[in-house]
Amino acid sequence: MNQFVTDVVVAGSGLLGLATAFELLSRDLDVTVVGPRTGDHAGQASRAAGAMLTVFSEVEANHDPQRVSLEVGERLVARTGYEAWLDRLGTASNKAVRLVPGVWVIGNGYGPDDAANLRAIAEAAETHGCRAEFASPAAVPGLAPQVRAHEALWLPDEASVDSTILVEALTAVLHANPRCRWLNTTVSTVNERGEHLAVGAADGSSVLAAHLVLAAGAGTTGLLAPELAEQVGAPPLRSGRGVSLLARVPFSLPTAVRTPNRGFACGSHMVPRGDGTVYLGATNRLSTEPDYGQPPILDEVATLIHDASAELNTDLRSAGLIEVRVGHRPVTLDHLPLFGRTGHPMIHLATGTYRCGVLLAPRAAAIVADGITAPSSTSTHPFSPQRTMDLPALDDLIDGASRGLVDMLCQPGGSLPPGTQELLERFLAAALHEIAAGSSTRAVAMRRLWQRAPMAECLPLLLDAAGRIR
């Protein structure tokens, strides 16, 4: 058995793990990355990401103002330093990673809240001193939908990047750095051994380290034995499973175009990848037990293609399919990331970024590195793994999220007669309230599921459980 000694082990080879290793090396620390370097990286969120740097366009009209202020503020800090971070990476790797500036957000009849969401997005941008310009949908390059867009919002301070090229550049830097060792395997065990952590790998290797950074996405906390997990005290993670695809399209797309969030997902979006290739994304289905080996199902692909063709460009129907990808986005119960030192002084987290992992990667890396090199500097950060989470009650959430549930049920492309959307919203809310308050097998199963994932994205699972259990 090979045994190594290092300053820091980074468990995970997605974007957050690689960015953290890159930052730690810049602070003169020896780093060992434990995670797949080759292979298809099944289920990894980084390689399935649209990689839009969406500072403002993730905002929704019904979001709590304090939450908007916190999240937008952190995303803006990350965005402000992104070009400088890419310059550092490009210099170190000799690989240019290009940003495509700007994102268009369009509103149409598919989303009953689109107009309010676009105004909330614009207000968030303007509040933080950034531009948000309303325009005619006819001014949006590459937009040719079947469903008529009624307005468009241009966000010049947002951007997009090719996550595959970004990961390749980080991989090249780490692989070439003499202070970085990369074990092309996975973590199997973590134990304390005196003043070190002993990290066992699936290939039989063992690494002794002063610090461990867990950056393995939705499966991060499952790497710890129960007794160590109790010391760490990390909040639970769930998976937002997303299906996306790459296609060669018969039209020009100079910059990303998206709809607002709806139906517990990030709306339809197409992102340019160069040479006539476009990324289409993305579905979002909560999973309490993610299966990284599960391939995309036809319903997910059909929803993706139908909504993008109807809402963004009808010529997508004649596009050439290149690849379909599945990624499991790590999400916490309060939707905020987990960056920094845990309840165990040698164990740190870099995960929970949900739909903003590409944007927040350098920010996460700096916060985690600060927690290692200056231990008390990040303990009060709002993304600290040691924070207290305020979680909603089921009754409150049902009342507030029933519209998203109806939006999801109508995919792909479904429509309801006038006035019936509100009727169905009220009916579903009343039915879920009634079932959850009962004592039947169905009610007990719903409450058990809710206890595992008390968040809006759980509502489709509750509806499914209510329909399946007899």
Side-chain angles (χ1 to χ4, degrees):
M1 179 181 72
N2 295 322
Q3 187 171 76
F4 310 100
V5 179
T6 190
D7 292 324
V8 186
V9 167
V10 176
S13 54
L15 184 55
L16 263 72
L18 302 185
T20 300
F22 179 51
E23 180 65 28
L24 292 168
L25 288 167
S26 75
R27 302 192 186 196
D28 294 324
L29 294 169
D30 293 327
V31 178
T32 297
V33 176
V34 184
R37 188 177 69 249
T38 56
D40 60 6
H41 303 277
Q44 188 182 89
S46 300
R47 288 172 170 82
M52 294 183 291
L53 309 186
T54 48
V55 178
F56 309 109
S57 54
E58 284 292 313
V59 171
E60 300 175 40
N62 64 353
H63 282 170
D64 177 77
Q66 289 186 324
R67 170 184 167 182
V68 171
S69 178
L70 169 61
E71 292 191 279
V72 168
E74 287 292 325
R75 293 197 293 257
L76 187 57
V77 170
R79 176 68 185 91
T80 301
Y82 217 86
E83 275 92 350
W85 182 70
L86 289 182
D87 287 344
R88 282 177 53 207
L89 179 58
T91 300
S93 66
N94 291 319
K95 291 179 180 288
V97 183
R98 186 175 66 94
L99 280 184
V100 179
V103 171
W104 283 99
V105 189
I106 59 106
N108 57 42
Y110 265 12
D113 297 323
D114 278 9
N117 284 334
L118 259 64
R119 277 152 184 75
I121 291 167
E123 181 180 345
E126 292 163 357
T127 298
H128 287 82
C130 295
R131 290 160 56 200
E133 303 167 2
F134 282 95
S136 166
V140 181
L143 181 66
Q146 180 181 4
V147 178
R148 181 178 176 272
H150 55 70
E151 59 185 337
L153 180 65
W154 171 240
L155 300 170
D157 295 304
E158 297 196 336
S160 61
V161 65
D162 190 324
S163 60
T164 300
I165 295 174
L166 186 54
V167 168
E168 288 174 353
L170 283 163
T171 298
V173 167
L174 301 184
H175 193 57
N177 193 306
R179 300 192 69 171
C180 181
R181 180 182 290 110
W182 192 328
L183 304 183
N184 188 21
T185 181
T186 56
V187 170
S188 57
T189 60
V190 180
N191 297 291
E192 287 188 90
R193 187 175 299 172
E195 296 181 351
H196 291 85
L197 292 170
V199 180
D203 67 354
S205 302
S206 178
V207 187
L208 291 178
H211 295 275
L212 169 65
V213 178
L214 296 173
T220 291
T221 53
L223 300 176
L224 299 173
E227 60 276 8
L228 201 55
E230 185 175 354
Q231 287 182 266
V232 167
L237 282 168
R238 300 294 178 249
S239 161
R241 171 186 162 92
V243 171
S244 59
L245 61 84
L246 290 177
R248 192 167 300 281
V249 301
F251 57 87
S252 174
L253 183 72
T255 192
V257 182
R258 64 167 296 175
T259 65
N261 293 344
R262 62 172 79 116
F264 311 115
C266 48
S268 297
H269 51 276
M270 52 183 183
V271 186
R273 287 291 187 256
D275 297 326
T277 301
V278 163
Y279 170 100
L280 291 184
T283 61
N284 185 49
R285 294 292 181 268
L286 184 70
S287 173
T288 57
E289 296 291 340
D291 181 355
Y292 286 90
Q294 182 184 352
I297 62 175
L298 292 182
D299 177 64
E300 292 171 313
V301 178
T303 297
L304 191 64
I305 295 172
H306 180 282
D307 286 354
S309 298
E311 298 190 75
L312 301 177
N313 195 308
T314 56
D315 285 341
L316 287 167
R317 294 173 298 177
S318 57
L321 180 63
I322 298 172
E323 183 181 4
V324 181
R325 299 175 175 177
V326 178
H328 287 270
R329 312 174 185 92
V331 55
T332 61
L333 301 183
D334 67 357
H335 296 86
L336 298 181
L338 301 174
F339 297 162
R341 186 179 291 260
T342 69
H344 191 295
M346 294 188 285
I347 298 179
H348 313 257
L349 295 183
T351 187
T353 48
Y354 205 16
R355 295 193 291 254
C356 294
V358 176
L359 170 59
L360 290 175
R363 179 72 173 145
I367 292 172
V368 171
D370 286 345
I372 290 173
T373 59
S376 62
S377 62
T378 63
S379 59
T380 60
H381 192 279
F383 294 168
S384 169
Q386 300 182 66
R387 68 178 180 267
T388 300
M389 290 189 178
D390 295 321
L391 302 178
L394 177 55
D395 284 346
D396 295 338
L397 192 69
I398 289 174
D399 289 333
S402 56
R403 169 162 286 186
L405 191 55
V406 174
D407 288 344
M408 188 212 72
L409 291 173
C410 287
Q411 292 177 328
S415 60
L416 296 169
T420 56
Q421 166 124 358
E422 292 78 8
L423 183 64
L424 183 54
E425 289 170 18
R426 292 196 297 270
F427 172 78
L428 287 174
L432 289 173
H433 279 304
E434 191 73 21
I435 295 170
S439 58
S440 65
T441 302
R442 181 183 288 113
V444 172
M446 285 180 58
R447 288 196 294 269
R448 186 182 302 120
L449 182 57
W450 170 254
Q451 288 168 359
R452 298 188 64 191
M455 54 203 302
E457 291 86 345
C458 188
L459 281 187
L461 298 182
L462 296 180
L463 187 67
D464 185 63
R468 289 178 182 271
I469 297 170
R470 296 180 182 274

